[in-house]
Amino acid sequence: MADIGEDVKLLGFWASPFTRRVEMALKLKGVPYEYLEQDIVNKSPLLLQLNPVYKKVPVFIHNGKHIPESHLILEYIDQTWKQNPILPQDPYEKAMALFWAKFVDEQVGPGAFKDVIKAEKGIEVAIEEARELFTFLEKEVTGKDFFGGKTIGFLDLVAGSMIPFCIARSWEGMGIDMIPEEKFPELNRWIKNMKENEIVRECIPPREKQIEHMKKVAERIKSA
């Protein structure tokens, strides 16, 4: 097990779901860290130095070694600090957690956010297409407290940071009830469980501030 007194830093942005999930993991593991807030428009020399390929947050630093990309960071954290595991030990279950996490970031994120904002086929069609994506997650969490089972796991960190605590606040600003309880009872129960977790609550961006931020992001997407 790594010495928790080692040098740990996180470069992030307050509204980034990719940053928030890393913070959740560090807090779940009880790993002390220094947080360095970044300007994602006027990017710092440090961010450009540490992530010259993508020039994005988050960047994780452990004893001088730096890692970009939130999924890789979460895996590294889980392998370095063994307490409170976030990835399943079973190889198949681990593979499926990684599969659905990729689905959330590559399909649900764009499909339920950018496609809804652009609404090229009309808003009703965009909403229905987004809801089709959520039916997969509804099945995955059925009968479980969390995607990880009884405790918060890898997919909970990814989906939680992306859906209820990021893009849902964009829908709220647009007046859209994207995941109504009558259609998605299991997802709504999961969201409630996430919101009741103290560590998760510590990492959630302020609601009103984020709604305003997401409105600005939406305006940029519309005008692009």
Side-chain angles (χ1 to χ4, degrees), residues 97-155:
L98 295 171
F99 170 84
W100 288 114
K102 191 174 181 184
F103 171 77
V104 166
D105 281 353
E106 294 184 3
Q107 300 294 321
V108 176
F113 179 48
K114 289 182 183 176
D115 292 356
V116 170
I117 289 162
K118 289 185 175 179
E120 291 169 349
K121 303 176 193 172
I123 189 66
E124 292 303 323
V125 173
I127 289 171
E128 280 311 305
E129 287 181 349
R131 284 178 177 161
E132 284 175 17
L133 299 173
F134 287 112
T135 59
F136 292 106
L137 296 176
E138 175 79 2
K139 288 175 188 171
E140 281 303 303
V141 81
T142 295
K144 296 187 282 190
D145 293 339
F146 299 99
F147 288 102
K150 288 291 182 187
T151 57
I152 290 174
F154 189 92
L155 183 53

Side-chain angles (χ1 to χ4, degrees), residues 1-20:
M1 186 182 293
D3 178 3
I4 60 169
E6 292 180 72
D7 184 37
V8 178
K9 294 185 177 73
L10 175 64
L11 279 68
F13 176 62
W14 70 271
S16 161
F18 308 102
T19 299
R20 299 277 67 83

